[in-house]
Amino acid sequence: MSKAFTRESDDAPEPPPRPRVASPLPPGAKNYLTAHGALRMQAELDQLTQIERPKLAASPQDPDTRRRLQSVDQQIQHLHLTLGTAVVVTPPPAPWEQVRFGATVTVRRNRSEETRYRIVGLDETDTDRGWVSWLSPIARALHNARLGQRVRSKFPSGEEYLEIVGIEYE
């Protein structure tokens, strides 16, 4: 066939496959998730496998579509791995007087400013919403603390004492 009837993009090399993403969990650590987080990830996996991927696979000729398909496949693989190794933690029964995984903790800093943190799994972390990983320093400081207790935590600005003024679960 003459070169006049082919696209230049057909001659472009395939993008190299991206390396498999290693788990950010420390060796031997469990992959804890809240029940809500597990449901959200399962919904995302269903969306990708049932809607997004079939649409992209229908026309894989375009290089941008191939790259997007590769990205979707990696996200599907990540979600399968995360959900396959997840330990879903259910909230403890009320009354909630002690901080555990999944808790939303209201703390008072410096005797005035109140802040809320929710202790979640590594894959659920969202600092904009105050959702911190159970492996983070703030979550470690709060874990097992009781209502009314003061705990010490390190921040970029220095060390502070936090008073636990509220504990809630979903």
Side-chain angles (χ1 to χ4, degrees):
M1 177 186 310
S2 168
K3 250 336 211 177
F5 296 104
T6 63
R7 291 181 293 207
E8 285 183 29
S9 62
D10 290 341
D11 294 335
E14 287 288 323
R18 293 186 187 180
R20 187 173 181 175
V21 179
S23 173
L25 288 168
K30 296 197 183 228
N31 183 18
Y32 294 116
L33 286 178
T34 63
H36 180 266
L39 288 173
R40 187 177 44 78
M41 286 183 184
Q42 185 61 54
E44 182 181 355
L45 178 60
D46 293 344
Q47 168 78 15
L48 290 172
T49 57
Q50 296 171 11
I51 297 169
E52 295 294 323
R53 191 180 192 297
K55 264 196 266 183
L56 293 169
S59 59
Q61 295 81 14
D62 178 37
D64 290 335
T65 303
R66 280 197 302 259
R67 279 191 288 281
R68 177 74 180 123
L69 182 60
Q70 186 178 29
S71 175
V72 166
D73 284 342
Q74 287 176 341
Q75 183 64 14
I76 289 170
Q77 181 183 14
H78 172 73
L79 289 168
H80 271 295
L81 179 67
T82 298
L83 291 169
T85 61
V87 176
V88 178
V89 179
T90 56
W96 301 312
E97 296 178 1
Q98 191 170 16
V99 178
R100 299 281 189 207
F101 180 86
T104 300
V105 186
T106 305
V107 297
R108 186 174 296 132
R109 298 169 74 168
N110 302 327
R111 305 244 184 242
S112 61
E113 177 188 340
E114 287 190 2
T115 308
R116 291 172 56 102
Y117 298 101
R118 182 162 183 233
I119 302 172
V120 296
L122 198 59
D123 292 310
E124 299 174 87
T125 304
D126 183 349
T127 55
D128 292 339
R129 295 170 71 179
W131 292 14
V132 296
S133 161
W134 65 278
L135 294 170
S136 68
I138 186 75
R140 288 180 183 215
L142 293 171
H143 191 260
N144 287 329
R146 297 192 169 278
L147 197 58
Q149 185 177 346
R150 288 175 46 114
V151 297
R152 185 174 57 182
S153 183
K154 292 182 182 179
F155 291 91
S157 60
E159 199 170 87
E160 292 184 38
Y161 281 91
L162 307 172
E163 180 184 359
I164 299 171
V165 296
I167 301 171
E168 301 169 23
Y169 291 87
E170 267 187 16

